[in-house]
Amino acid sequence: MSQFFAIHPDNPQERLIKQAVEIIKKGGVIVFPTDSCYALGCHLGDKNAMERILAIRQIDLKHHLTLMCADLSELGTYAKVDNSQFRQLKAATPGAYTFILQATKEVPNRTLHPKRKTIGLRVPDNAIALALLKELGEPMLSCTLMLPEDDEPLTDPYEIRDRLEHSVDLVIDGGWCGTEPTTVIDMTDGTQLVRQGKGDVALFGF
């Protein structure tokens, strides 16, 4: 049975954030709010937790998983970017964007796109997500909470708990997030728009 935390969307309770991070560190899978949709998250280094997320979503690694980061300070550790790309990323973060980037060797191979060796990276503009990431002290492996039988991401934390209470370890109720996914920008070879979502594409000249 999953736990259920109601966390304030603007002033997250430190006690609950610490408890949530302990669950992540112990190999748990959590549902948490972001600035676009609710997401599934787990510890980057935990293979079993990653496989649980793939099973919930019924996807393989051709669907990019995302490194959810507190800020861009971790970028150079996990992704390869040049100075021009870094300036673009800095202008767009935090925000509802996912960037496809070439991964460094610090990213576990099992989390990467099998052929391209790329990873999604994002810095969310959401107080709860950022508090979790700062307390964790490293990126979290993540993907949008969209179940295979649904046409849209789940938005109601109580429905999420009802449907996933035996599949995840924690559901965080952080209020309404919306259903519009992130804008996806591929920066591995130039700058290409993969999916237009919530993030404004004008920042990238599209």
Side-chain angles (χ1 to χ4, degrees), residues 56 62 73 75 106 145 151:
I56 291 166
K62 289 172 188 166
S73 65
L75 185 64
E106 293 299 314
L145 176 52
D151 295 325

Side-chain angles (χ1 to χ4, degrees), residues 2-9 12-13 16-24 29-34 37-41 126-133 140 145 154-158 160-161 164 168-177:
S2 62
Q3 296 190 64
F4 188 84
F5 294 173
I7 297 184
H8 195 282
Q13 302 94 312
L16 293 178
I17 292 293
K18 286 181 182 295
Q19 288 179 29
V21 167
E22 278 306 305
I23 290 170
I24 295 165
V29 172
I30 73 163
V31 173
F32 66 102
T34 76
C37 310
Y38 274 89
L40 292 157
N126 176 278
I128 294 171
L130 290 172
L132 289 169
L133 292 161
M140 186 163 40
L145 176 52
L154 292 174
T155 59
D156 180 348
Y158 293 93
I160 293 169
R161 179 176 62 176
L164 292 178
V168 301
D169 301 283
L170 169 66
V171 175
I172 293 176
D173 176 1
W176 169 254
C177 291

Side-chain angles (χ1 to χ4, degrees), residues 5 24 36 50 52 55 80 91 102 129 139 154 181 188 199:
F5 294 173
I24 295 165
S36 62
M50 181 196 83
R52 286 171 59 197
K80 300 172 185 174
Q102 209 69 45
L154 292 174
T188 54

Side-chain angles (χ1 to χ4, degrees), residues 88-110:
Q88 286 184 300
L89 289 165
K90 196 167 181 187
T93 55
Y97 300 90
T98 301
F99 301 99
I100 307 299
L101 299 165
Q102 209 69 45
T104 67
K105 288 187 167 58
E106 293 299 314
V107 183
N109 212 38
R110 64 175 177 273

Side-chain angles (χ1 to χ4, degrees), residues 62-95:
K62 289 172 188 166
H63 176 107
H64 275 99
L65 293 178
T66 298
L67 294 184
M68 192 80 73
C69 300
D71 55 45
L72 291 181
S73 65
E74 298 158 329
L75 185 64
T77 305
Y78 297 99
K80 300 172 185 174
V81 294
D82 61 29
N83 290 338
S84 168
Q85 290 170 320
F86 184 81
R87 283 195 295 275
Q88 286 184 300
L89 289 165
K90 196 167 181 187
T93 55

